[in-house]
Amino acid sequence: MSTADRWNDHYAQGKGFRPVSEQEVALLAGHLGPGARRRAFDLGCGTGEYAAALHGLGFATTGADSSKVAVTTAQDRHQGCDGLDFQLLDVERGGLAPLPAAGYDLITCRLFLPFVDLVPTIAHVRHLLVPGGRLLVTTPVTERQTPGYRSSGLRTCDLDLLRSFDWAAVAQYPLDDLLCLALTR
């Protein structure tokens, strides 16, 4: 069963994922400033809550997920929001290839990277950022998780690997039991 099929099953059963907290939105607002119609791309958007938060900050936002059920749910929940759209893209099957190089000021990967092949995904995502654009990675840290939830986080060595790409700046912010890495191209 593919990753997309597993997530389709997950969302078809009415399950969600970790809700976006007010603290996360405050972190976004404090560190990104007003969106001012800058282009944002939320990769692994699920049912669209984080993409909607970015849109609420003024970003022209596209959310993408490999789950058709999640994308349909996001489209239904947020229909009529000018500057907010959702696409069905499967990273594991070359879904990022048609996206414009240097097309986004901000790319977010919230609770997403542990479920894909990290190195090719980040290499391609980095290519999609404008110079000076930011990649925000929000994730649990595996070593801090209870045994049943370790697969939903990135290991410390994965975080070190993320930091090792050729970034102009790297910052990190604690966020409850999550870590947010801000990586600037």
Side-chain angles (χ1 to χ4, degrees):
M1 179 182 283
S2 74
T3 302
D5 291 336
R6 283 193 296 275
W7 285 110
N8 268 329
D9 288 347
H10 175 86
Y11 289 113
Q13 294 172 27
K15 296 178 182 177
F17 217 59
R18 184 184 180 130
V20 177
S21 71
E22 289 180 26
Q23 183 184 9
E24 283 182 271
V25 176
L27 178 78
L28 288 171
H31 293 285
L32 299 175
R37 301 295 294 167
R38 290 181 288 163
R39 293 191 61 199
F41 184 67
D42 182 25
L43 184 56
C45 71
T47 56
E49 291 83 7
Y50 204 66
L54 291 169
H55 180 260
L57 294 174
F59 287 89
T61 306
T62 299
D65 203 282
S66 64
S67 166
K68 185 175 183 174
V69 174
V71 170
T72 300
T73 301
Q75 290 169 334
D76 290 346
R77 286 182 182 170
H78 305 288
Q79 62 184 318
C81 292
D82 184 41
L84 176 61
D85 70 290
F86 297 95
Q87 298 178 10
L88 182 64
L89 295 176
D90 191 339
V91 171
E92 293 180 326
R93 295 200 170 106
L96 298 178
L99 297 174
Y104 298 96
D105 301 288
L106 172 67
I107 298 176
T108 58
C109 295
R110 179 185 184 266
L111 310 175
F112 169 73
L113 289 177
F115 305 104
V116 295
D117 194 355
L118 186 64
V119 172
T121 300
I122 293 303
H124 201 94
V125 163
R126 190 177 182 289
H127 176 73
L128 298 175
L129 286 167
V130 299
R134 285 189 180 168
L135 169 62
L136 291 184
V137 175
T138 304
T139 185
V141 178
T142 298
E143 292 85 353
R144 296 183 200 159
Q145 298 298 299
T146 58
Y149 292 95
R150 289 201 172 132
S151 65
S152 67
L154 290 176
R155 299 171 299 165
T156 302
C157 63
D158 295 327
L159 295 168
D160 291 341
L161 180 61
L162 273 173
R163 292 181 190 102
S164 74
F165 278 76
D166 189 24
W167 302 107
V170 176
Q172 67 182 42
Y173 311 98
L175 190 60
D176 290 328
D177 62 335
L178 301 174
L179 177 67
C180 181
L181 282 180
L183 308 160
T184 303
R185 179 168 182 233

